């Protein structure tokens, strides 16, 4: 009886297959990175940097800081040049109107400038109840997170200047790094107009992070938490020029 010879793959054929698999995987990873980069860019340009623009434009038009004193949408009786440490979580619905009315009085309409996907509140005077003080953003390891805006005045580091800051709470760490890179050119967390203020294990939408509004100098993050860190959420500060 004639024996049948079963031929396997040669080393060359196996090498070719492995190369093809590698090319496919590289393409998949590259595609994922492109999608992630696009999402971070949309969050930066359509939400984070828009609030910086609104606060800066308000100062240019009025000579006053947004959210500084009741005349500017804040809570203090009189303006003093510094934001009134407002955290715009879901327990601060009345303040939504105050801030929006202040901007509208000088021709700034956040409801048409800010891109958000949250329509969970009807007390902020935006069409269809959209909430321009919050936005969902997807983190690579944290999943979907609700980012909340705040308006604070803080000292940047032990020897740094006292500045008004647009605060973004609950930013996934990888998104915070991407945001820092887009704004400052590098994700160094402790320098430039985008800084890392604190990190947390869970997101909170009804209370400000304990690092904010203490009256002392902010101790900035030396680096952003890694993807495997338990602290998946970052409080980001967008430092204004005044």
């Amino acid at each position: 009886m004639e024996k049948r010879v079963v031929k396997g793959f040669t080393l060359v054929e196996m090498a070719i297959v492995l190369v093809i698999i590698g090319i496919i995987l590289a393409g998949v990873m590259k595609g994922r990175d492109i999608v992630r980069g696009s999402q971070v860019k949309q969050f930066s340009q359509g939400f984070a940097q828009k609030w910086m623009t609104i606060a800066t434009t308000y100062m240019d038009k009025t000579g006053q800081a947004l959210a500084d004193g009741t005349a500017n949408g804040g809570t203090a009786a009189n303006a003093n040049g510094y934001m009134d440490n407002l955290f715009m979580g879901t327990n601060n619905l009345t303040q939504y109107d105050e801030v929006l009315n202040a901007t509208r009085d000088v021709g700034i309409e956040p409801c048409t400038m800010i891109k958000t996907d949250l329509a969970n509140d009807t007390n902020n005077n935006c069409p269809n109840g959209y909430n321009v003080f919050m936005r969902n953003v997807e983190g690579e390891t944290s999943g979907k997170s609700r980012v909340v805006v705040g308006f604070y005045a803080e000292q940047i580091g032990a020897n740094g200047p006292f500045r008004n800051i647009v605060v973004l709470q609950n930013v996934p760490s990888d998104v915070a790094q991407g945001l820092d890179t887009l704004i400052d050119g590098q994700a160094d967390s402790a320098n430039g107009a985008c800084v890392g203020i604190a990190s947390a294990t869970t997101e909170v939408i009804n209370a400000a992070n304990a690092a904010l509004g203490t009256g002392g100098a902010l101790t900035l993050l030396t680096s952003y938490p890694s993807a495997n860190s338990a602290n998946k959420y970052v409080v980001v500060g967008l430092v204004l020029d005044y």
Side-chain angles (χ1 to χ4, degrees):
M1 180 181 294
E2 185 179 350
K3 290 185 177 180
R4 295 181 60 188
V5 178
V6 180
K7 295 181 63 177
F9 288 110
T10 67
L11 290 177
V12 173
E13 290 170 333
M14 291 180 65
I16 292 173
V17 171
L18 290 174
V19 168
I20 293 173
I21 292 174
I23 292 173
I24 293 173
L25 289 176
V28 171
M29 295 297 291
K30 182 65 175 179
R32 189 189 68 170
D33 290 344
I34 291 173
V35 171
R36 291 290 305 142
S38 176
Q39 291 174 342
V40 173
K41 188 175 182 179
Q42 289 176 11
F43 172 70
S44 175
Q45 295 180 346
F47 188 79
Q49 289 179 275
K50 278 293 193 297
W51 272 116
M52 292 183 74
T53 298
I54 289 169
T56 300
T57 304
Y58 188 87
M59 168 60 78
D60 291 341
K61 285 176 172 286
T62 66
Q64 302 283 325
L66 181 64
D68 172 27
T70 55
N72 301 301
T75 55
N78 300 305
N80 63 0
Y82 296 111
M83 292 175 168
D84 290 340
N85 294 348
L86 302 182
F87 180 69
M88 309 302 282
T90 55
N91 62 347
N92 205 6
L93 303 182
T94 301
Q95 210 61 45
Y96 290 177
D97 289 336
E98 300 300 326
V99 172
L100 290 177
N101 288 337
T103 60
R104 287 168 177 156
D105 285 344
V106 295
I108 304 170
E109 180 49 89
C111 292
T112 59
M113 295 177 64
I114 302 293
K115 292 183 178 180
T116 181
D117 58 349
L118 287 171
N120 67 334
D121 174 57
T122 58
N123 195 41
N124 62 359
N125 291 336
C126 283
N128 301 320
Y130 278 95
N131 189 334
V132 293
F133 298 100
M134 300 183 190
R135 175 170 171 162
N136 285 326
V137 63
E138 191 87 18
E140 189 168 6
T141 59
S142 62
K144 185 177 290 186
S145 173
R146 182 171 298 184
V147 175
V148 185
V149 171
F151 305 102
Y152 285 78
E154 302 279 2
Q155 183 179 350
I156 311 300
N159 301 309
F162 207 81
R163 287 285 186 269
N164 289 302
I165 305 173
V166 175
V167 167
L168 305 174
Q169 186 160 301
N170 305 324
V171 182
S173 181
D174 60 301
V175 176
Q177 293 180 57
L179 181 63
D180 197 348
T181 301
L182 287 170
I183 293 176
D184 289 338
Q186 58 181 340
D188 57 2
S189 77
N191 298 288
C194 182
V195 296
I197 295 174
S199 60
T201 57
T202 58
E203 61 174 316
V204 180
I205 61 173
N206 289 318
N209 188 280
L212 296 167
T214 63
L218 291 175
T219 301
L220 302 178
L221 298 177
T222 56
S223 62
Y224 292 105
S226 66
N228 297 323
S229 172
N231 291 346
K232 297 180 179 180
Y233 304 98
V234 177
V235 180
V236 172
L238 305 178
V239 184
L240 303 173
D241 292 332
Y242 60 89

